[in-house]
Amino acid sequence: MDSLRKIDIKYLKGVGPKRAELFAKELNIRTFYDLLHHFPTHYIDRSQIYKISEINGDMPYIQLRGRFISFNTIGEGAKMRLIGAFSDGTGIIEIVWFNSIRKLKDAYVPGNEYILFGKPTSFNGRWNIVHPEVDNVASVSATQGLRGIYPLTEKLRNKGVTSRTFFTLIQTALSGIKNFRETLPQEVLDNLRLMPIAQAIQNIHCPANNDALQKARFRFKFEELFYLQLNIRRYSKKRNASVQGFRFTHIGNYFNTFYHNQLPFPLTGAQKRVIKEIRADMGSGRQMNRLLQGDVGSGKTLVALLCMLIALDNNVQACLMAPTEILATQHFQTISELAAPIGINVKLLTGSTPKKQRDLINQQLTEGSLHILIGTHAVIEDNVVFKNLGFCVIDEQHRFGVVQRAKLWKKNNIPPHILVMTATPIPRTLAMTVYGDLDVSVIDEMPPGRQPVTTLLRYEEQRFRVYQAIGQRLKQGRQVYIVYPLIAENEKLDLKCLEEGYETIRETFYDYKVAYVHGKMKPAEKDYQMQLFASGEAQILVATTVIEVGVNVPNATVMVIENAERFGLSQLHQLRGRVGRGGGESFCILMSKPNISKITRQRLEIMTSTTDGFIVAEADLKMRGPGDIEGTMQSGIAFDLKIANLAQDGQIVQLAHNQAESILDADPSLSEPGHKILAENLTMLFDHKIDLSRIS
Ligand code: ADP
Ligand code: MG
């Protein structure tokens, strides 16, 4: 297979330099290897012939057998099209071509029998097929059986490239290749009875039958996930083997005093459990890299603080990083309020910390008199030097990647323990794939007394009623969030929407003060506006998703989300977590435009039917695929899956994980002869990405 990675696709008969360029640009296909790994997304049974009278709205691709009755050209210039009337005796369907009109008109002879293959669409109440594949009945036996449909782009389609083009090119390429080198070790093939590579390539493109196709797809899905697992796990194993961590042996004064005198409320069972897990890990002698998962409001901050106190008791410093200035400030307030009374020195460092304060912080950090530093990315900058940093908390993982974590590992000779906190409930298969290098603790219990948020779906025509309800809550002294989408591709329009919304709200609720934040504001302005709302001086906050993470205003009990249909479910869930924080019965109102599709409505109804973050995340993964979740995670181990699907292939993820583990346990350096292929493939697949095991 290696040599195939080196042969430029332009040398394949039927490609040439122009198409090669197009393939590279549109689908990232550059070599023979890439082409052979451009897999069909679905398959059509070409032995089945439909009747024109059977055509209905739910059909994907179908096959018809019949004759052209007539051809007509309609329109002129660029709009010219060729229309053929095709009949099979049960009805007539229009066949439409926009390209190569003259050529086609001569190619197809009225009266001869053809097999058409394409997707029926309805236009002006009539069925037609645009650019079908057309075969002479005589030549059809060769194309029968299962036929793959290849993913294409609009541009490729416009240039006349069809699914069939790929089929033909791939068959040409395959006919010239004598043997494939196996890309998985024999033991793995044997363990899981996987189809060998040559057979799998053949069957994924041109399945002998359905069974062979399923085996081929399974093999490639497995292979893809297996190499991902192998890559992730070898890093953490290498680190664990080579890197010593701090051994926190005892619990001392800070922890005990706080726990007995300062604890604001009894810990939940889940909080106690995860603190134990973290403590055991930090006492083990290896360096901890742990993910702390807990739904919004589950009380992660208190866990973080208690763990920081354990660190202080073992004579090291601690730091906490948050993704935004607002959040960092809020953490600083919470934590210094709790910790200062027992003599702990806590400071805040962000991009807007004045020089003088910065100098003081740096001085205290190097002396060791600063115990806990809280801040934004500013904390990991190289000029921030600790005397002895031993424990580090990162809040909201999805804004911090592995690369940032690696920077922290370097902050001390002995790399500090790292606790990553996230409120994004990550389904297990996804966690294994994206965070395979982290151990996981889960807070699966809410502090007592939380009232679940009631979520409602409302449409534009109900806006007046919604405003009435908001008015009532405001009268009772409650505060209200109103959230607008601000999504990069539509930024200008979105901002306008937000600004108009702000004006409307001010006019409608003229008795109240309205604050206003979005991500494009200067930090100082944003903080000022947030503070207005947090202090209660403003009763309404009009905002974008900048309020998504962490902001804590218990008196705010209503959230209205405008254009809710444009948000992802997990994001809606995060936003919703801002209400229901102790200020009494809370509502989240999802405002949607009226004509949403059935699927969109079903998505939004998941929000109205559950407040469980894991259910929401699973549903999100199933309905949208993992793309968005991964996208926001910037995991640093960038990958996009060609064939495996994290939402559906959970079991294969598990198999891949088990195989990778057992191989690495037996042969951590992958140096056994049978594993040479693994080391080679890892290099090829991942080496252009950073080797994170070497960063520290
Ligand atoms: P998150 O996990 O979303 O970061 P926080 O740490 O901000 O949640 O906690 C949410 C709220 O719950 C805070 O107001 C916090 O003081 C409160 N809280 C945390 N732990 C408990 C507990 N054991 N009992 C009661 N309230 C708690
Ligand atoms: Mg939090």
Side-chain angles (χ1 to χ4, degrees):
M1 225 49 176
D2 324 341
S3 55
L4 295 179
R5 288 181 194 270
K6 297 195 186 108
I7 314 179
D8 193 317
I9 197 66
K10 73 179 171 204
Y11 299 118
L12 181 66
K13 185 168 165 268
V15 179
K18 259 216 177 118
R19 260 195 179 169
E21 206 176 294
L22 191 66
F23 287 178
K25 211 163 133 210
E26 293 297 299
L27 295 170
N28 218 0
I29 295 176
R30 293 161 208 281
T31 64
F32 273 50
Y33 179 94
D34 296 338
L35 180 70
L36 294 177
H37 285 78
H38 186 57
F39 297 143
T41 43
H42 54 286
Y43 296 80
I44 307 292
D45 184 355
R46 296 220 54 179
S47 57
Q48 191 174 0
I49 303 266
Y50 285 86
K51 296 205 163 53
I52 292 175
S53 60
E54 290 173 340
I55 294 175
N56 63 53
D58 305 323
M59 290 178 162
Y61 283 79
I62 58 163
Q63 205 162 219
L64 301 170
R65 179 180 179 140
R67 297 178 161 82
F68 286 104
I69 306 171
S70 64
F71 288 102
N72 282 302
T73 30
I74 297 185
E76 272 174 37
K79 288 205 169 141
M80 185 148 81
R81 56 197 189 274
L82 174 66
I83 303 209
F86 188 83
S87 162
D88 65 355
T90 73
I92 295 177
I93 185 167
E94 282 187 352
I95 309 299
V96 186
W97 290 273
F98 297 97
N99 305 325
S100 323
I101 290 176
R102 176 135 339 125
K103 210 175 86 196
L104 287 167
K105 215 163 118 185
D106 296 338
Y108 305 133
V109 183
N112 281 3
E113 207 174 2
Y114 293 96
I115 301 245
L116 299 193
F117 174 74
K119 191 176 164 52
T121 48
S122 158
F123 185 73
N124 282 345
R126 271 184 305 193
W127 288 109
N128 66 41
I129 298 182
V130 179
H131 288 192
E133 287 179 16
V134 182
D135 287 304
N136 255 315
V137 165
S139 69
V140 145
S141 62
T143 54
Q144 269 184 359
L146 289 167
R147 165 66 85 82
I149 303 298
Y150 291 88
L152 293 169
T153 64
E154 205 48 49
K155 195 122 178 229
L156 285 168
R157 271 194 204 98
N158 290 339
K159 299 267 174 193
V161 177
T162 62
S163 176
R164 184 183 207 167
T165 314
F166 276 103
F167 179 78
T168 312
L169 290 175
I170 287 166
Q171 293 309 312
T172 311
L174 282 174
S175 67
I177 298 167
K178 283 189 200 63
N179 44 45
F180 286 97
R181 186 161 163 231
E182 182 51 67
T183 47
L184 287 170
Q186 193 58 42
E187 64 180 282
V188 175
L189 293 177
D190 292 346
N191 285 346
L192 298 172
R193 293 166 206 238
L194 298 174
M195 189 181 257
I197 184 76
Q199 241 175 301
I201 284 270
Q202 187 66 44
N203 277 293
I204 201 149
H205 292 295
C206 192
N209 53 52
N210 193 40
D211 188 46
L213 171 63
Q214 295 318 322
K215 288 204 170 102
R217 285 178 58 81
F218 185 87
R219 184 221 143 96
F220 285 117
K221 286 178 176 204
F222 173 84
E223 181 167 357
E224 185 164 49
L225 294 167
F226 170 74
Y227 275 108
L228 261 174
Q229 287 295 321
L230 201 62
N231 189 47
I232 296 173
R233 295 304 300 165
R234 79 175 158 155
Y235 287 137
S236 44
K237 291 210 178 235
K238 237 200 262 181
R239 280 190 56 77
N240 282 346
S242 64
V243 179
Q244 279 286 314
F246 282 102
R247 191 187 287 274
F248 292 167
T249 49
H250 67 286
I251 297 258
N253 248 338
Y254 284 128
F255 185 94
N256 284 328
T257 314
F258 182 84
Y259 196 84
H260 295 116
N261 307 335
Q262 283 296 119
L263 202 62
F265 16 63
L267 296 180
T268 63
Q271 283 172 319
K272 281 188 195 155
R273 192 190 69 244
V274 300
I275 290 169
K276 268 194 199 135
E277 287 168 7
I278 294 164
R279 196 188 149 199
D281 208 357
M282 296 196 299
S284 73
R286 57 178 208 122
Q287 185 247 344
M288 176 175 80
N289 281 288
R290 184 169 284 270
L291 181 70
L292 176 61
Q293 250 185 56
D295 212 344
V296 276
S298 61
K300 296 185 290 294
T301 318
L302 194 57
V303 169
L305 174 59
L306 283 160
C307 295
M308 288 198 264
L309 297 181
I310 297 177
L312 300 194
D313 278 337
N314 288 273
N315 298 316
V316 297
Q317 294 162 297
C319 76
L320 186 155
M321 274 198 299
T324 64
E325 186 140 1
I326 295 173
L327 249 183
T329 308
Q330 232 173 30
H331 276 312
F332 171 70
Q333 283 161 353
T334 314
I335 287 176
S336 47
E337 217 166 274
L338 290 168
I342 58 168
I344 293 173
N345 183 6
V346 187
K347 291 256 158 24
L348 175 69
L349 179 68
T350 69
S352 48
T353 304
K355 166 102 175 43
K356 218 167 145 200
Q357 176 72 0
R358 219 170 244 271
D359 290 345
L360 176 72
I361 288 174
N362 279 328
Q363 190 201 328
Q364 294 189 344
L365 273 182
T366 39
E367 282 171 10
S369 62
L370 181 48
H371 301 108
I372 297 178
L373 181 65
I374 293 177
T376 52
H377 277 78
V379 170
I380 51 172
E381 273 163 25
D382 290 337
N383 57 6
V384 179
V385 180
F386 291 79
K387 181 171 182 219
N388 194 15
L389 178 65
F391 179 59
C392 199
V393 182
I394 302 174
D395 196 11
E396 300 305 341
Q397 157 72 5
H398 56 285
R399 312 276 160 96
F400 276 100
V402 190
V403 176
Q404 282 93 341
R405 244 190 293 143
K407 266 191 145 176
L408 283 167
W409 295 338
K410 287 196 295 186
K411 286 267 176 213
N412 205 344
N413 292 333
I414 304 177
H417 294 303
I418 292 179
L419 183 69
V420 171
M421 305 198 294
T422 179
T424 312
I426 305 152
R428 196 179 138 69
T429 49
L430 195 58
M432 276 173 83
T433 314
V434 181
Y435 295 135
D437 61 329
L438 294 177
D439 297 306
V440 181
S441 289
V442 182
I443 307 184
D444 51 7
E445 180 189 352
M446 284 292 190
R450 285 292 152 77
Q451 280 174 341
V453 178
T454 306
T455 304
L456 306 166
L457 177 57
R458 292 289 180 263
Y459 299 94
E460 198 50 46
E461 64 264 26
Q462 292 155 303
R463 183 171 291 280
F464 181 68
R465 297 266 305 279
V466 170
Y467 281 177
Q468 273 184 325
I470 294 176
Q472 270 172 12
R473 295 277 143 177
L474 288 168
K475 226 185 229 157
Q476 292 163 9
R478 297 303 180 197
Q479 288 166 278
V480 177
Y481 292 104
I482 299 178
V483 184
Y484 284 84
L486 182 56
I487 294 163
E489 66 211 67
N490 242 332
E491 219 159 66
K492 272 217 180 99
L493 214 73
D494 282 344
L495 271 177
K496 189 163 154 254
C497 238
L498 178 79
E499 274 152 17
E500 281 170 8
Y502 173 67
E503 288 308 322
T504 315
I505 293 295
R506 280 199 347 173
E507 282 161 22
T508 314
F509 302 104
Y510 51 82
D511 281 343
Y512 299 95
K513 192 167 171 67
V514 185
Y516 169 91
V517 290
H518 59 75
K520 304 269 131 172
M521 277 175 160
K522 294 219 174 70
E525 173 66 5
K526 202 157 71 183
D527 276 358
Y528 171 73
Q529 295 282 335
M530 274 310 298
Q531 212 43 50
L532 280 181
F533 187 69
S535 67
E537 204 180 323
Q539 292 77 26
I540 303 176
L541 179 67
V542 174
T544 59
T545 52
V546 292
I547 59 157
E548 185 184 334
V549 278
V551 175
N552 192 19
V553 182
N555 189 45
T557 57
V558 180
M559 172 174 284
V560 179
I561 303 177
E562 296 286 347
N563 290 112
E565 76 280 356
R566 291 181 57 197
F567 291 87
L569 289 187
S570 293
Q571 204 177 15
L572 289 174
H573 182 72
Q574 294 282 307
L575 286 166
R576 177 168 67 176
R578 303 301 111 217
V579 291
R581 302 201 136 221
E585 194 189 14
S586 296
F587 292 90
C588 173
I589 301 164
L590 306 176
M591 292 299 294
S592 160
K593 64 175 188 188
N595 299 315
I596 47 175
S597 67
K598 194 168 144 205
I599 292 183
T600 306
R601 204 180 60 237
Q602 279 170 353
R603 257 168 23 86
L604 293 174
E605 281 169 356
I606 288 169
M607 295 302 298
T608 60
S609 68
T610 183
T611 52
D612 184 324
F614 277 89
I615 297 180
V616 171
E618 288 280 355
D620 206 19
L621 185 61
K622 286 230 167 73
M623 298 186 95
R624 292 195 311 169
D628 300 277
I629 305 181
E630 283 157 10
T632 53
M633 281 176 181
Q634 300 173 3
S635 67
I637 306 168
F639 59 90
D640 52 313
L641 296 170
K642 269 188 160 51
I643 180 163
N645 176 332
L646 292 178
Q648 287 158 12
D649 299 328
Q651 273 176 319
I652 311 182
V653 173
Q654 187 70 54
L655 284 174
H657 176 85
N658 296 349
Q659 287 292 315
E661 281 297 275
S662 80
I663 287 178
L664 286 169
D665 281 342
D667 179 19
S669 57
L670 301 178
S671 47
E672 285 172 19
H675 295 158
K676 232 182 84 194
I677 185 70
L678 296 176
E680 279 174 32
N681 275 330
L682 284 173
T683 309
M684 206 160 47
L685 290 165
F686 300 106
D687 252 22
H688 51 289
K689 290 161 190 149
I690 330 152
D691 180 352
L692 295 163
S693 65
R694 276 191 228 128
I695 286 183
S696 64

